[in-house]
Amino acid sequence: MKLSNKFTLSRIILAPVFFLLYFIPIWTGKFNSLSIFIMFPLLAFMEFTDYLDGHYARKFNEVSDFGKLFDPFADVVVHLSTFVCFMFSVNGIGYMPTVVFVFILYRELTMNFIRMIAVKKGVAIAARKGGKLKTVVYVISGFFALLLEALVRLNVVVEFFGVLRIISICLFVLCLILSYISFIDYLIHFSKLLKD
């Protein structure tokens, strides 16, 4: 397996690890502090591999149609896994509204379906600028929500926590908006392919 694809695969493998680390304290009432100290570097590593796979694919001339599909698929696995987490908290109050998650899920699944249609026609749909911007906001929103959950799990009292939670909700709403803007951009850009 190419090095770039190994980095991509690592995200798919680590996403359920993050999911379990997030929920074990919710399920058991234990390991709050430990989970946070593992989840931050784990999330950072997963997001960094998104840069590494592209970097090494270009550096070693490993850019391929498979990679153009595998990379966004891994991104979807990571982001949907973490977004599910952020609907919940050890204190019972999540940071991402369920309705926002559901509509992002619809968008991501539909986009993957469109990529499959394109592959059947011999076209690999690579990430466009709108999709990359959406991903950046996904990452920022994820780290912000994890920071709030860290405050809760470490029992750090912040008087304006409610304001921070509203900011988190607004960030995820922005994720939703950007995801559909980029989706429309893909539909417009590849409309001829889809019509055919």
Side-chain angles (χ1 to χ4, degrees):
M1 180 181 281
K2 297 174 181 177
L3 179 61
S4 56
N5 290 335
K6 287 180 180 178
F7 282 121
T8 305
L9 179 61
S10 71
R11 294 207 297 286
I12 295 172
I13 293 170
L14 292 174
V17 175
F18 182 94
F19 179 87
L20 289 173
L21 284 169
Y22 192 94
F23 277 102
I24 285 173
I26 294 174
W27 295 331
T28 66
K30 300 176 181 178
F31 312 112
N32 279 342
S33 299
L34 179 63
S35 65
I36 284 298
F37 289 119
I38 298 173
M39 282 189 296
F40 263 107
L42 180 59
L43 183 58
F45 178 76
M46 286 192 297
E47 297 297 358
F48 187 51
T49 60
D50 191 19
Y51 162 77
L52 291 176
D53 60 16
H55 172 75
Y56 284 105
R58 289 184 294 273
K59 182 176 181 180
F60 296 128
N61 197 27
E62 296 178 351
V63 176
S64 65
D65 288 345
F66 174 77
K68 290 176 183 177
L69 292 172
F70 197 36
D71 177 57
F73 173 74
D75 288 345
V76 169
V77 170
V78 168
H79 294 134
L80 291 183
S81 298
T82 56
F83 286 179
V84 167
C85 295
F86 300 137
M87 290 190 293
F88 302 91
S89 170
V90 292
N91 68 3
I93 301 173
Y95 313 103
M96 180 180 201
T98 304
V99 65
V100 172
F101 172 80
V102 169
F103 278 98
I104 287 177
L105 176 67
Y106 292 158
R107 183 271 186 201
E108 297 297 348
L109 293 178
T110 306
M111 192 65 224
N112 275 349
F113 178 72
I114 289 171
R115 288 181 194 278
M116 287 189 290
I117 293 172
V119 165
K120 191 170 182 180
K121 295 180 179 291
V123 177
I125 299 178
R128 292 176 53 77
K129 287 182 180 179
K132 290 179 180 179
L133 174 62
K134 172 218 67 169
T135 300
V136 169
V137 178
Y138 276 17
V139 172
I140 292 169
S141 302
F143 274 106
F144 190 80
L146 186 57
L147 174 63
L148 297 188
E149 183 64 6
L151 295 175
V152 172
R153 294 188 184 198
L154 298 174
N155 294 314
V156 177
V157 178
V158 179
E159 292 182 6
F160 50 91
F161 186 84
V163 174
L164 294 177
R165 184 172 174 271
I166 291 171
I167 292 171
S168 178
I169 291 170
C170 290
L171 282 172
F172 283 120
V173 169
L174 180 60
C175 287
L176 175 63
I177 293 168
L178 290 177
S179 73
Y180 276 89
I181 289 173
S182 69
F183 181 67
I184 292 167
D185 174 60
Y186 281 110
L187 289 180
I188 292 171
H189 189 78
F190 295 99
S191 60
K192 185 178 185 302
L193 174 71
L194 296 173
K195 285 177 183 176
D196 293 341

